Amino acid sequence: MSEEGNLASSTSNGYSSEMPCKKRDDYLEWPEYFMAVAFLSAQRSKDPNSQVGACIVNSENKIVGIGYNGMPNGCSDDLLPWSRTADNKLDTKYPYVCHAELNAIMNKNSADVKGCSMYVALFPCNECAKLIIQAGIKEVIFMSDKYHSTPEMIAARRLFDLAGILYRKFKPKCSKIVIDFDSINSRPSQKPLQVTSN
């Protein structure tokens, strides 16, 4: 057989044995992807102090709900307070704001979220813990537990323990993900996503 025949047979399936092409090995793994979606969602929050996002994922690694902290639908976020402290609690955000977990559950795009996992930036408060339990979510993966010792978080852990809800701190394999919108116009060799390891 001629040399041309050998070359043709090696490329007849559409792949050349001369120049093997391997997949990327620096892609985002599922956990990083879901926590990144939660963090990206948080950027929609208008809260000047705390931007929190949540992402609900089913057993097939499909996102079924996302949310961020904000005022209820139809309630102007220009007319309600965003303060953390005030002489009157009604002048703070706390009686009004909806947490990311609540919004993610309410924004679900499936019949229910039973058996799902929730990725969230902050460990949920007791009120959100109640919603998570009632919604049937089985696991909570959180990034920060900076309010660990507050009564709300202690109560949340007690509720989760009683209901058998798993909760664990997220341990990222990369410390930073940068999205570059200009990268889509770059050459294939240029990376569209920068992932910085710890």
Side-chain angles (χ1 to χ4, degrees):
M1 185 180 285
S2 69
E3 190 174 324
E4 287 181 5
N6 285 333
L7 183 58
S9 64
S10 68
T11 60
S12 62
N13 62 0
Y15 299 99
S16 171
S17 58
E18 301 291 324
M19 297 179 61
C21 182
K22 294 170 63 178
K23 69 178 183 180
R24 288 175 54 215
D25 57 7
D26 60 345
Y27 59 88
L28 283 180
E29 294 185 16
W30 285 122
E32 277 72 24
Y33 175 69
F34 297 136
M35 188 59 81
V37 169
F39 269 70
L40 184 61
S41 178
Q43 295 308 302
R44 281 284 307 150
S45 175
K46 296 176 184 176
D47 190 322
N49 298 300
S50 301
Q51 300 84 44
V52 182
C55 176
I56 303 173
V57 182
N58 70 15
S59 60
E60 298 176 335
N61 284 329
K62 292 179 180 176
I63 295 173
V64 295
I66 55 174
Y68 55 89
N69 57 314
M71 296 303 178
N73 292 336
C75 299
S76 172
D77 45 35
D78 291 318
L79 299 178
L80 291 170
W82 288 104
S83 301
R84 297 182 71 176
T85 58
D87 291 337
N88 186 339
K89 189 172 182 178
L90 290 175
D91 294 326
T92 71
K93 64 181 178 179
Y94 298 110
Y96 312 106
V97 75
C98 297
H99 286 183
E101 298 93 328
L102 179 152
N103 282 327
I105 291 169
M106 295 303 296
N107 292 338
K108 68 183 184 299
N109 57 17
S110 61
D112 60 53
V113 291
K114 289 180 181 174
C116 290
S117 298
M118 177 181 281
Y119 288 77
V120 64
L122 277 176
F123 188 85
C125 70
N126 60 310
E127 293 299 323
C128 289
K130 296 176 197 176
L131 290 167
I132 288 166
I133 292 166
Q134 295 298 81
I137 290 171
K138 67 170 185 178
E139 181 183 29
V140 174
I141 303 100
F142 59 92
M143 189 73 208
S144 172
D145 192 15
K146 63 182 179 180
Y147 301 117
H148 181 87
S149 300
T150 63
E152 292 82 4
M153 306 308 162
I154 293 170
R157 289 194 301 275
R158 183 180 297 175
L159 289 169
F160 283 155
D161 290 339
L162 288 170
I165 308 297
L166 301 174
Y167 54 92
R168 59 184 168 87
K169 183 171 174 57
F170 183 67
K171 296 178 180 176
K173 292 184 178 179
C174 55
S175 61
K176 186 180 292 186
I177 297 169
V178 179
I179 297 173
D180 179 4
F181 287 120
D182 291 329
S183 66
I184 196 67
N185 295 315
S186 302
R187 292 186 302 276
S189 61
Q190 295 176 320
K191 295 182 179 180
L193 184 69
Q194 297 175 20
V195 178
T196 306
S197 298
N198 290 330

